[in-house]
Amino acid sequence: MGMTLLLGLFALGIIIGMPVAFALGLAALSAFFYEGLPHFVAFQRLSSGVGTYSLLAIPFFIFAGELMLHGGIANRLVQFATALVGSRRGGLGIVNVFSSMLFGGISGSAVADTSALGSILIPIMKKEGYRADYAVNVTVTSSIAGIMIPPSHNMILYAVAAGGGISVSRLFMAGVVPGVLMCVLLGFAAWIVAVRHGYPSVPFPGWKVVGQTAIRALPGFFTAVIIVGGVLSGIFTVTESGAIGVAYALVITGLVYRELTWAGFVMAVRQASKTTALVMILVGCAAAYGYMLAFYQVPEALAGFITGYTQNPTTILLLINVMLLVAGMVMDMAALILICTPIFLPLAVQFGMDPIQFGMVLMMNLGLGLCTPPVGSCLFVGCAIGGVKIEKAVLTIWPFYLAILVALALTTYVPAVSLTLPNLVFGN
């Protein structure tokens, strides 16, 4: 009865439109009270959920991303990408993917990527004769690069949800190859669709212009180098690198590019504060909910159900992927990381998957959920910018879904895709 209360109240909260954090908190507290557990334990779990030191990096990463969003870095990355790869057939589609790979590796946010690059590229693509749904689909699906390519605050959430025994530095390195692989496949899909529809290309401006745009974009791109390089070299902790990244972003956008206005700075502070508050409330409520999931042995029950159906590792990993994909279609990514990690990670490890590799599988699955109805936030943002109905965009987005699914399959069944780089950098 208690487990029914825990799961049922959460599901009811989601169905009636309650914020995910509140649905988690209400369900967890109800289960605590039903079981007669001391009330202070529930609030202990809530507070301990946000008491992890590594979570301090999240507000810094979010703030740095907001500063770059309002400070002109995205514009310069788009100019560089256009000069470098825009001369191919359907070049602006490839530019979109390449820009997402660059900006995503700086902002670490898929929604920020969609908002910043979509506002620049979608109107340009429509003006140049590209269909609006194509422009939206390329922008939305390539935004997942912000989740995979470091730095990514979602990877910090995963490390916390996994119990704190996973290195964030290894996770950062593990995301590079899957993220780039996914972007290459998306670029290929964008090119195929562009050729099929006869979309135009822009003239190659020459290597001199490529060099000039690269130089202009380099200070902004160096933000990611400072953050990730500082962590990997051991000079900074993850939290310290986030703080250094914020300071550097302020200098670049305010003093070098001189595009960060006071209004833009206030907006960045406001949005970063709002997002941080939402994430931290979610983490606290998810910690209490996870405690009750463990109390009712839900992870063990699910593992027993799946292994009772099949003992084939390939089939089990496929089932995990399917369940994560379905969950990603109906819930927010951060909440799912915190809920699904303690449930599926032990099962994946039991059947031979490295925790680092599972983290990449989880990120890509849930990232795809950001691009799918009914609650895909990136899809909503992209369609709003492009002035396209969601139903119309979804009808033509399948080649890009297919590209991501191919990258997901390779990441799931070929451990070297996600493990080679961190093993080279840090050792086995």
Side-chain angles (χ1 to χ4, degrees):
M1 182 62 191
M3 186 169 65
T4 302
L5 189 67
L6 179 73
L7 301 176
L9 280 178
F10 173 66
L12 178 63
I14 296 299
I15 292 171
I16 65 175
M18 183 183 293
V20 174
F22 297 160
L24 287 169
L26 175 63
L29 289 175
S30 299
F32 267 100
F33 296 155
Y34 175 80
E35 294 295 341
L37 298 172
H39 296 175
F40 73 88
V41 175
F43 295 99
Q44 256 186 359
R45 303 308 303 179
L46 285 168
S47 60
S48 65
V50 296
T52 306
Y53 174 74
S54 58
L55 287 176
L56 286 174
I58 291 179
F60 290 126
F61 284 163
I62 293 172
F63 188 34
E66 289 293 331
L67 290 172
M68 290 181 278
L69 177 63
H70 296 282
I73 289 178
N75 283 318
R76 287 164 174 79
L77 291 175
V78 169
Q79 291 168 5
F80 168 58
T82 303
L84 185 62
V85 299
S87 59
R88 304 291 180 184
R89 169 68 67 180
L92 286 179
I94 302 173
V95 165
N96 203 322
V97 175
F98 189 56
S99 299
S100 291
M101 189 169 67
L102 295 176
F103 187 73
I106 298 174
S107 71
S109 168
V111 176
D113 188 343
T114 305
S115 178
L117 299 181
S119 300
I120 299 168
L121 284 168
I122 291 177
I124 294 175
M125 293 176 73
K126 291 168 66 176
K127 182 180 178 181
E128 292 296 326
Y130 292 79
R131 281 173 42 172
D133 57 332
Y134 173 83
V136 169
N137 292 340
V138 175
T139 302
V140 168
T141 51
S142 62
S143 68
I144 305 176
I147 298 168
M148 301 299 300
I149 299 176
S152 169
H153 64 265
N154 291 296
M155 292 185 183
I156 299 174
L157 286 178
Y158 170 68
V160 171
I166 297 178
S167 165
V168 175
S169 300
R170 278 187 173 271
L171 288 172
F172 280 0
M173 279 292 95
V176 173
V177 175
V180 172
L181 172 65
M182 181 185 65
C183 286
V184 169
L185 292 171
L186 284 170
F188 184 65
W191 174 74
I192 290 177
V193 176
V195 170
R196 180 183 174 189
H197 291 281
Y199 291 142
S201 59
V202 297
F204 181 63
W207 289 108
K208 180 179 179 181
V209 175
V210 172
Q212 290 172 343
T213 56
I215 291 172
R216 287 196 291 267
L218 187 61
F221 184 72
F222 201 63
T223 308
V225 176
I226 289 177
I227 294 175
V228 179
V231 173
L232 298 181
S233 64
I235 297 175
F236 310 131
T237 65
V238 174
T239 303
E240 291 166 348
S241 72
I244 295 295
V246 168
Y248 180 79
L250 279 170
V251 171
I252 293 301
T253 56
L255 301 179
V256 178
Y257 291 162
R258 297 188 178 183
E259 291 193 23
L260 181 65
T261 63
W262 176 250
F265 176 76
V266 171
M267 180 66 71
V269 172
R270 181 181 299 148
Q271 190 60 39
S273 301
K274 177 182 176 181
T275 305
T276 299
L278 290 173
V279 170
M280 293 305 175
I281 292 172
L282 182 60
V283 170
C285 292
Y289 191 83
Y291 180 86
M292 293 310 296
L293 285 176
F295 181 85
Y296 291 123
Q297 298 182 329
V298 172
E300 291 82 356
L302 181 63
F305 171 77
I306 294 177
T307 53
Y309 173 74
T310 178
Q311 289 286 327
N312 186 301
T314 301
T315 305
I316 286 175
L317 294 180
L318 177 62
L319 288 173
I320 291 175
N321 273 309
V322 170
M323 286 187 280
L324 289 174
L325 282 171
V326 172
M329 294 174 66
V330 296
M331 274 188 64
D332 179 71
M333 181 175 186
L336 283 173
I337 292 173
L338 297 166
I339 295 170
C340 293
T341 298
I343 294 175
F344 291 109
L345 177 59
L347 181 61
V349 171
Q350 179 183 340
F351 284 89
M353 181 176 280
D354 188 279
I356 298 290
Q357 181 188 2
F358 176 76
M360 300 307 104
V361 171
L362 180 69
M363 296 294 139
M364 200 174 293
N365 268 302
L366 303 186
L368 180 56
L370 296 175
C371 309
T372 57
V375 295
S377 52
C378 289
L379 184 62
F380 290 157
V381 171
C383 288
I385 294 171
V388 178
K389 291 185 177 180
I390 292 178
E391 310 91 80
K392 183 178 179 181
V394 170
L395 286 175
T396 56
I397 201 173
W398 65 266
F400 303 98
Y401 285 166
L402 181 61
I404 297 172
L405 289 174
V406 171
L408 176 60
L410 291 172
T411 304
T412 301
Y413 294 110
V414 184
V417 170
S418 54
L419 298 180
T420 298
L421 191 56
N423 287 342
L424 283 175
V425 175
F426 300 106
N428 292 327

